[in-house]
Amino acid sequence: MSRLTTLAARLRSSFLKDVLKLSFGTLGGRLIALAALPLVTRLYSPEDFALLAVYLALVSTLAVVACLRLEIAIPLVETEDEAANLLALALSVLVLVTTVLTILAFLIPERLSAALGAPELASYLWLVPLGVAMTGSYSVLQFWATRARRFGEIARTRVGQAMAGVSAMLTLGWTGFLPIGLLLGNMLNIGAGGVILAVSALARDGARLRAVRLRNLAPAFRRNHRYTLFSTPEALFNVAGLQVPVLLIAAYAGAEAGSLFLAMQVMATPLKLLGGSIAQVYVSRAPTEFREGRLAPFTLLIMRRLGLIGVVPLILAGALAPWAFPVVFGENWAQAGQVAVWLVPWLALQFIASPVSMVLHTVGHQDWAMVLQGLGMVIRVGAVALAIWLDAGPVVAFSLGSAVFYALYLSVVYFAAFSSPPPQVTR
């Protein structure tokens, strides 16, 4: 029996069990959101979705760096005390960042919205710091739960926040609160689960969390400063590579950004359903596999399975999209179906690369990840900017640039997993 086969057999029961827990929760949440979309797209216009795309671009860009990336170290450090210190540090930084954002949102909303090319966002800019706070806290607490492998709890939060988000969108839309209902609903859909995870953490880990002392936070930061030094710009490059093109398309083509947003929401369902679940289980196990010298075959096994189970459904969805979108979401959304076709190569490569991307952090190559994401931002933003300058198709350019980036990312992940020896254990 080969090494890869042996590893697959050893991991099959426990790994698959964890993945299924998260997948069922994500499936429930995504089905709720998808079932509501035909109603939501008839309550809100493509222009409303374009405003939502700008809002989520802001929230995503700010939230991903609002904790200085200390949260991703929580499941990777060796001791529980160190993890608790990092949890406290990440949440403290988040409070500081959201306080500054709140002050700016209330003092100069018109100036900030005009600078973003979306003056209509000024009335709703106060939702940005609230969205950052909810998204950031959910991310931190999700990493804490991932360390303890409480995947069932994470799964339940995904269902709960989907229900809260859909309820807000439909209720506010039917009562005429447009487009704020769309913004509030999506904010709840990406961050409301933090409340449940916070209550669980206090109930299960209260004693350990209460033992955190202020004097221990600075040493914990120094020991994990590489995550802030390299992973913060890496995350910013990553989200900017995704969201800056959306902002450019919204400023250049208006409602076309709404079509892009809807197409991404629908076509990315396999990524969020299974890829995200595999990513969380992968990061909870990768440090152990690395220390025991099995990271390379473990990573290859996951990449192979992702390729087998994810690519065909994406191709099928792309083939059906031009016909299905106007039928399901209304004639106003026919363009979104055409956009969905161009997303397939990008999303297929992303589906394979994203779950195993944490291998670069596991082997201590945060600097590689930072450089790679910086290059990806240049490729994606540059492709869209060039297309706008040439008055060509910016959405097509965005999709093709993203596909090139994820092909490059896969190559680097493969090299890192197979070229990094396990750490030497000092006895």
Side-chain angles (χ1 to χ4, degrees), residues 42 61 74 85 96 124 128 142 149 152 177 246 270 278 280 307-308 348-349 420 425:
R42 287 168 171 81
T61 302
I74 291 174
N85 288 329
L96 178 61
Y124 312 105
V128 171
Q142 197 172 204
R149 296 185 183 175
F177 290 93
V246 173
I278 292 176
Q280 284 187 271
L308 288 172
L349 290 167
S420 298
V425 178

Side-chain angles (χ1 to χ4, degrees), residues 16-18 41-42 165 199 216 318-319 323 354 380 390 394 396 410:
L16 183 60
K17 182 179 179 181
D18 290 340
T41 52
R42 287 168 171 81
V199 171
N216 296 327
W323 168 82
S354 291
R380 300 164 92 178
L390 295 174
V396 175
L410 266 175

Side-chain angles (χ1 to χ4, degrees), residues 19-43:
V19 170
L20 287 176
K21 285 180 183 178
L22 282 172
S23 295
F24 282 131
T26 308
L27 175 61
R30 293 302 298 166
L31 286 178
I32 292 169
L34 287 174
L37 264 180
L39 298 175
V40 173
T41 52
R42 287 168 171 81
L43 289 171

Side-chain angles (χ1 to χ4, degrees), residues 148-165:
R149 296 185 183 175
R150 295 169 188 162
F151 299 115
E153 289 184 4
I154 297 173
R156 287 190 290 273
T157 65
R158 293 179 178 176
V159 174
Q161 61 189 19
M163 293 177 63

